[in-house]
Amino acid sequence: MQVANALRAAILTKVFKAGDKLPSRAELAKKYEVAPMTVQNALRELRDEGLIVSRQGSGVFVRERTERPVGLRPHIERAFDAEHVSIDFAGFSGETLQGVMQEPLDKIRIGRLTPASINIRMLVPDTSQPWSIPCQVDDLQDSPGFRKRMDEIMRRHTLSIIDNVQELGDLGLVKDVSAEIKVHRAAPLFKLYLLNNEEAFFGFYPVREHVIRFDGEPKPIYDLVGKEAILFHHSVTDDDTSTGSQYVEQARMWFDSMWSTVSTEYQR
């Protein structure tokens, strides 16, 4: 317990940061003056808590449990190293996704990346229908003006993704490309990214009050704050004792079910 407590404190205080490799069992046993079996038991406890992952042949690493949206970028870029690239996104506007995809798409244009296929699917809320959130502060009712503004933002970012991906196909740089948007009527309370069916990033949108001007008049709105959403990372390569593989599978099942049932094509 003492070894587990010491390692836990080191992880939570960022002495060991997300992605860092921990010292070997022998090194930890020497450091804490305990038997290797004691270290193994301590690591098992931290693994059960989801703080670390064991990777066969590589060692024990601090799990990348929480990353802000900027932390998504290297994972998106690494996803484009694969021969077949697939990205599924469910969320509010697609702004973050559009931003982090620019560099790998540029690398494809100049020939530094050569995937055989790219498949992008995006699930966003239907701006033609009333929303429960975001909503007006005074009466918690839908705001048509806000929806109109969000439609412009969604259109700008999601259609940019589609145009950029389809351009790669038109230029013959990627043999098989597909980029689609579907809309649904559910309130977008979280964001989800699925990368190559191997990694999932999930984060809740905090609800915050802020004032937006419509026709020159200030209007308080309860809005979803995407930039404050902390992302939790799950991977099928997590060790067998974790729930990473199960989470990715269930997230993919949820996305596919939404895509094939209650979602409809986005009208450009």
Side-chain angles (χ1 to χ4, degrees), residues 46-88:
L46 298 182
R47 189 162 48 241
D48 291 342
E49 294 176 16
L51 290 175
I52 61 173
V53 293
S54 298
R55 295 178 182 146
Q56 189 171 3
S58 298
V60 179
F61 295 80
V62 178
R63 188 178 182 190
E64 297 180 12
R65 301 186 66 205
T66 58
E67 297 188 50
R68 294 194 176 279
V70 67
L72 182 68
R73 183 180 299 275
H75 295 269
I76 292 283
E77 293 177 354
R78 188 165 65 242
F80 276 85
D81 290 334
E83 181 179 5
H84 301 287
V85 180
S86 68
I87 299 176
D88 292 335

Side-chain angles (χ1 to χ4, degrees), residues 114-128:
T114 57
S117 68
I118 300 176
N119 180 268
I120 310 293
R121 297 189 297 175
M122 294 172 281
L123 277 174
V124 294
D126 189 348
T127 55
S128 70

Side-chain angles (χ1 to χ4, degrees), residues 108-109 164-175 177:
I108 293 174
R109 292 186 184 99
N164 287 333
V165 170
Q166 290 180 342
E167 179 190 39
L168 298 177
D170 294 339
L171 294 173
L173 298 175
V174 181
K175 182 178 180 181
V177 299

Side-chain angles (χ1 to χ4, degrees), residues 93-94 122 124 154-162 181 266:
S93 69
M122 294 172 281
V124 294
M154 288 180 190
R155 183 178 296 273
R156 180 166 66 250
H157 295 296
T158 57
L159 294 185
S160 174
I161 292 172
I162 286 183
I181 311 170
Y266 181 66

Side-chain angles (χ1 to χ4, degrees), residues 91-202:
F92 200 18
S93 69
E95 180 177 1
T96 298
L97 180 61
Q98 191 263 341
V100 299
M101 283 182 58
Q102 292 311 301
E103 185 166 344
L105 293 183
D106 285 342
K107 288 182 178 179
I108 293 174
R109 292 186 184 99
I110 63 177
R112 291 180 59 187
L113 292 176
T114 57
S117 68
I118 300 176
N119 180 268
I120 310 293
R121 297 189 297 175
M122 294 172 281
L123 277 174
V124 294
D126 189 348
T127 55
S128 70
Q129 301 295 324
W131 287 354
S132 56
I133 298 177
C135 62
Q136 300 173 154
V137 170
D138 52 0
D139 57 6
L140 303 184
Q141 295 300 305
D142 170 63
S143 170
F146 188 86
R147 277 192 287 114
K148 181 180 179 181
R149 175 176 293 191
M150 285 309 305
D151 182 67
E152 295 171 354
I153 294 174
M154 288 180 190
R155 183 178 296 273
R156 180 166 66 250
H157 295 296
T158 57
L159 294 185
S160 174
I161 292 172
I162 286 183
D163 291 342
N164 287 333
V165 170
Q166 290 180 342
E167 179 190 39
L168 298 177
D170 294 339
L171 294 173
L173 298 175
V174 181
K175 182 178 180 181
D176 181 17
V177 299
S178 173
E180 302 176 80
I181 311 170
K182 283 192 175 184
V183 297
H184 58 83
R185 298 187 181 186
L189 300 179
F190 60 86
K191 61 170 63 177
L192 171 69
Y193 302 87
L194 290 166
L195 311 182
N196 294 344
N197 291 321
E198 296 177 348
E199 293 182 281
F201 289 83
F202 176 91

Side-chain angles (χ1 to χ4, degrees), residues 15 62 238 260:
V15 174
V62 178
D238 289 349
S260 62

